Amino acid sequence: RKARQAKARLIAPRPVAGPLRPQVRCPTIRYHTKVRAGRGFTLEELKAAGIHKKTARTIGISVDSRRRNRSTESLQSNVQRLKEYRSKLILFPRKASAPKKGDSTEEELKMATQLAGPVMPIKTV
């Protein structure tokens, strides 16, 4: 418990549960109705959402270059997931004195809190 709390304090204000994961379907006929969290977003999904693959890793999005999109439905749902995450994201400037384009405002920075659970949990339908 203490090690977990120490890690949370160390990485604050980043989420404790790690980066954002994509929504994928399980393989095989038995489990293919179940939706779960995958390893990382495809490069095609990131491109459709307008996020560079190297930038994605720095803002808390997991990337898997080996994964492929086999259906347009999963591609669209993950692109929507990325866009929703990007809209909710509070990005701290590297230099407080000189914020860059895309960084959050002073009011948003004051409202920022650390997320304890998983980042945007996947809802089972």
Side-chain angles (χ1 to χ4, degrees), residues 16-123:
V16 179
L20 178 72
R21 303 281 178 183
Q23 182 176 322
V24 296
R25 289 201 174 271
C26 297
T28 72
I29 295 169
R30 184 176 181 180
Y31 298 107
H32 77 303
T33 55
K34 188 174 185 258
V35 176
R36 64 171 175 86
R39 180 177 168 79
F41 290 92
T42 63
L43 301 176
E44 192 180 349
E45 289 164 351
L46 291 168
K47 193 178 222 178
I51 302 168
H52 193 268
K53 62 183 176 182
K54 286 191 177 176
T55 310
R57 286 194 175 99
T58 64
I59 60 171
I61 300 171
S62 58
V63 179
D64 187 6
S65 58
R66 296 167 296 186
R67 211 179 116 235
R68 296 191 312 268
N69 288 107
R70 293 181 180 86
S71 69
T72 54
E73 290 86 16
S74 68
L75 173 76
Q76 291 303 319
S77 69
N78 280 327
V79 168
Q80 191 62 41
R81 194 168 159 78
L82 282 166
K83 285 181 180 176
E84 187 183 343
Y85 175 76
R86 193 76 174 98
S87 68
K88 290 180 179 179
L89 186 69
I90 297 174
L91 206 59
F92 280 71
R94 286 184 186 269
K95 277 186 175 178
S97 59
K100 292 191 175 180
K101 191 185 125 226
D103 292 341
S104 297
T105 60
E106 291 283 329
E107 297 84 44
E108 288 175 324
L109 295 178
K110 287 176 186 162
M111 292 179 3
T113 57
Q114 189 175 28
L115 185 67
V119 182
M120 289 176 58
I122 294 164
K123 300 168 195 88

